[in-house]
Amino acid sequence: MAPPPEIAIPSTSVSDEGSSKPYTLYNITLRLPLRSFVVQKRYSDFAKLHSTLVEQVGSPPPEPLPGKHWLKSTVRSPDLTRVRQAGLEKYLRAIAETPDRRWRDTFAWRAFLNLPSSSSATNSAVSASGMVRPAATGAADPQTWLDMYRELKQNINEARQHLSRRDAASESGNTTATAEAGSAAKKVLLKAGTLVSGLSDGLRKMQESSRLGEGELRRRRDLVSTARMERDALDKLCNSMPTSSGSSNARGSQGTSSTATSNATAEKAALLKGGRPAGRVLGAPLPETAKTRELDNEGVLLLQKKELADQDLNLDQLTTIIRRQKEMGLQIKDEVDAQTEMLAQLDEDVDRVHKKLDVANNRIKKL
């Protein structure tokens, strides 16, 4: 039995699409063992789900649905939005985590979360009316954008695994497994291409709405650019015919073709292991580090402030050391000046004694 999905409502957004007045959309994030996706619903959809579950099961879910406010609107009240957001998340989690499966086994529950179709759940989000809409709509939310980016990276890794299995099957002569692995890689790369387009459109919408700072937008553009390069390289590799190492060496055994073949083989191996295609790339984004990976704009800002504070502390320590070195240098200078003066005095004394010796020697000679 498959484990229930992890359900959360990390954010909300306001939309007026298809309505005479704006309304609040709740971005429901579902995390499954192999993928995650986002479903957008408004409060009226929750109310319809609740009434349908009560009608089909015969009893209400374990957690009551948050009540509707007739005199207040969540569009103009952030506090009310947060309270309802927490209540709706608690409502969904109670149904998903309760040992009683009656509510989860209904068609209304699965249709509400877009669970029946894995392909549509992967590449799309669900609108307030329950219709499938492009993934770019959900990508306009910063937190949803990060979830979609994680899903994109999972698809790219799956494509690498399928291509590795395809090459292994090709070397062993299993044509059926080769074709199946190649087809699976193409499907995953197609999903990845859709996600790349959705992420790019989401960044454009976030820039227009000024939901993120310019620095965070630039960082996310770099992430999308890197993922697009990896996806395109894998797609090119997927469209090429799988070749075994023996045939590659046979074709590359003459002249400079041997070097070219070995370079192509090394680049292919690096690509399947998660590396990027070899070659000089002008204007390429800097690679992510373990500190900045999976951080949002606030996390990167806090990390930057911490790094600046550490640098200031190091500069203060360096200033103290340099000041101490300066004091030691001044003391050494004073000591050298004193020694120089003593040597000059000694030199004068030696000259005076030398003159006295000369006078004494002259007197002795006269005697």
Side-chain angles (χ1 to χ4, degrees):
M1 182 181 298
E6 297 181 8
I7 301 178
I9 305 180
S11 60
T12 62
S13 57
V14 178
S15 175
D16 56 359
E17 181 180 351
S19 177
S20 58
K21 60 180 181 179
Y23 54 86
T24 302
L25 285 175
Y26 299 91
N27 302 319
I28 308 172
T29 301
L30 293 96
R31 300 183 185 276
L32 301 178
L34 298 179
R35 58 185 174 86
S36 62
F37 58 96
V38 177
V39 175
Q40 289 185 310
K41 294 290 184 178
R42 57 187 300 183
Y43 179 79
S44 59
D45 297 320
F46 283 91
K48 293 178 182 178
L49 171 67
H50 183 74
S51 60
T52 304
L53 291 178
V54 173
E55 180 181 355
Q56 293 182 359
V57 178
S59 60
E63 182 70 23
L65 182 71
K68 182 176 180 61
H69 296 272
W70 298 98
L71 301 179
K72 295 182 180 180
S73 173
T74 55
V75 176
R76 298 178 177 83
S77 177
D79 294 336
L80 180 59
T81 302
R82 285 192 293 268
V83 172
R84 179 173 288 179
Q85 175 184 346
L88 293 176
E89 179 177 333
K90 187 177 181 181
Y91 174 79
L92 294 178
R93 283 187 172 181
I95 298 176
E97 298 173 0
T98 181
D100 192 347
R101 300 182 53 87
R102 291 180 297 167
W103 297 279
R104 292 197 301 271
D105 291 339
T106 60
F107 175 78
W109 169 259
R110 301 188 65 84
F112 180 82
L113 297 179
N114 199 27
L115 291 177
S117 176
S118 59
S119 59
S120 62
T122 303
N123 294 322
S124 63
V126 178
S127 67
S129 60
M131 299 177 61
V132 176
R133 66 194 301 175
T137 303
D141 179 75
Q143 184 61 39
T144 305
W145 192 96
L146 291 176
D147 293 335
M148 293 178 61
Y149 176 74
R150 295 189 189 98
E151 183 180 352
L152 170 62
K153 297 298 291 184
Q154 291 177 0
N155 289 337
I156 292 177
N157 291 332
E158 289 180 10
R160 289 196 185 99
Q161 296 173 2
H162 290 313
L163 291 176
S164 298
R165 285 195 291 267
R166 185 194 69 170
D167 291 346
S170 176
E171 291 181 357
S172 62
N174 190 340
T175 56
T176 302
T178 301
E180 291 178 353
S183 177
K186 289 182 179 180
K187 291 180 180 179
V188 175
L189 290 174
L190 181 61
K191 296 178 183 179
T194 304
L195 287 173
V196 168
S197 300
L199 292 173
S200 299
D201 293 340
L203 288 178
R204 178 179 54 80
K205 292 183 179 180
M206 283 189 283
Q207 183 178 13
E208 293 174 354
S209 60
S210 301
R211 302 192 65 178
L212 290 177
E214 185 61 31
E216 177 64 12
L217 285 172
R218 188 183 304 110
R219 188 181 78 92
R220 296 195 180 194
R221 289 194 195 99
D222 293 342
L223 293 177
V224 175
S225 176
T226 303
R228 181 183 288 109
M229 291 176 59
E230 294 179 358
R231 187 263 172 195
D232 293 342
L234 290 173
D235 185 62
K236 182 179 179 181
L237 182 61
C238 182
N239 293 329
S240 63
M241 294 297 294
T243 56
S244 62
S245 59
S247 60
S248 297
N249 292 333
R251 288 194 302 268
S253 59
Q254 298 179 356
T256 58
S257 61
S258 176
T259 304
T261 303
S262 60
N263 292 337
T265 304
E267 181 177 345
K268 176 181 176 181
L271 181 61
L272 292 179
K273 290 181 180 179
R276 294 174 57 183
R280 184 184 180 194
V281 181
L282 297 178
L286 294 176
E288 284 285 346
T289 63
K291 293 182 178 180
T292 60
R293 190 175 293 111
E294 304 298 339
L295 290 180
D296 57 3
N297 56 335
E298 294 182 359
V300 173
L301 180 60
L302 292 176
L303 178 62
Q304 185 181 16
K305 290 182 178 180
K306 181 179 180 300
E307 294 291 340
L308 291 176
D310 294 340
Q311 291 178 4
D312 291 339
L313 180 60
N314 293 334
L315 286 176
D316 292 339
Q317 295 176 354
L318 181 61
T319 302
T320 303
I321 294 174
I322 293 176
R323 188 178 293 112
R324 188 181 302 113
Q325 294 289 340
K326 178 183 177 182
E327 294 175 356
M328 293 175 61
L330 292 176
Q331 293 177 0
I332 293 174
K333 177 181 178 299
D334 295 339
E335 183 68 22
V336 170
D337 292 341
Q339 294 290 338
T340 302
E341 185 178 355
M342 293 174 62
L343 290 174
Q345 185 66 33
L346 179 61
D347 187 58
E348 292 177 359
D349 294 341
V350 170
D351 290 341
R352 185 171 57 254
V353 172
H354 183 69
K355 291 179 180 179
K356 290 181 178 180
L357 289 175
D358 290 342
V359 172
N361 289 331
N362 291 332
R363 289 179 179 178
I364 291 174
K365 290 179 180 180
K366 290 179 179 181
L367 294 176

